[in-house]
Amino acid sequence: MVAPQPCIRCGECAPACPAGVHPQRVLAALRREAPDEAQSLGLNDCTGCAACDAHCPSAIPLAALFAAARDELRLARQRSDFSAASRVRYTQREARLARAREEQAVERDRQRAATASAQAVAAALARSRARRKPAPWDGA
């Protein structure tokens, strides 16, 4: 097997591609780390047939590079989707916890208001006095 050489931009790979992709342009975009441009140039249209590999005088494994790039882009998209879903779950959880805290605060205030009212205090004092009264059979 011949070691790959740098792309000489000969254009031999383009007519060999049955999908009509220009592999040299896609390769250049991938090397510039421009995956969006590589996709717009036909990275996803590549069938992986390796016909371009057979015609490349520089022996660049184009089909393997394109497959690896597609896999990396797919993984990046999955990570991004997972991150977005996690962000949504987090914000929904925070909103749910905030609502629960508000409901607990309202309930706590309602209970404080009920126990702090003058009538509630008077009723508690009356119950306390009623317990302190000696029973008639105590003889006291």
Side-chain angles (χ1 to χ4, degrees):
M1 179 169 187
V2 179
Q5 301 292 316
C7 180
I8 58 173
R9 293 177 185 83
C10 64
E12 296 282 328
C13 54
C17 181
V21 176
H22 291 276
Q24 67 189 24
R25 292 182 187 167
V26 175
L27 179 65
L30 290 174
R31 290 202 171 146
R32 283 192 311 270
E33 295 182 8
D36 293 335
E37 182 183 351
Q39 287 180 322
S40 69
L41 290 171
L43 176 63
N44 293 330
D45 297 334
C46 175
T47 60
C49 68
C52 54
D53 291 0
H55 287 83
C56 181
S58 297
I60 300 171
L62 296 165
L65 292 173
F66 295 166
R70 280 193 306 271
D71 290 344
E72 181 60 35
L73 290 172
R74 182 181 45 79
L75 289 174
R77 187 172 44 255
Q78 287 175 344
R79 284 191 298 267
S80 175
D81 292 347
F82 180 77
S83 175
S86 295
R87 195 173 308 113
V88 167
R89 282 192 313 272
Y90 174 77
T91 55
Q92 289 174 343
R93 178 181 182 269
E94 287 297 311
R96 188 175 61 250
L97 292 175
R99 278 193 313 273
R101 282 191 298 269
E102 289 174 13
E103 291 170 1
Q104 289 172 351
V106 167
E107 179 62 21
R108 194 171 36 251
D109 291 344
R110 186 191 63 75
Q111 288 177 353
R112 283 182 187 157
T115 58
S117 70
Q119 292 174 347
V121 171
L125 287 173
R127 285 192 306 271
S128 175
R129 287 186 194 119
R131 280 186 259 159
R132 289 188 192 163
K133 280 188 179 180
W137 59 84
D138 279 348

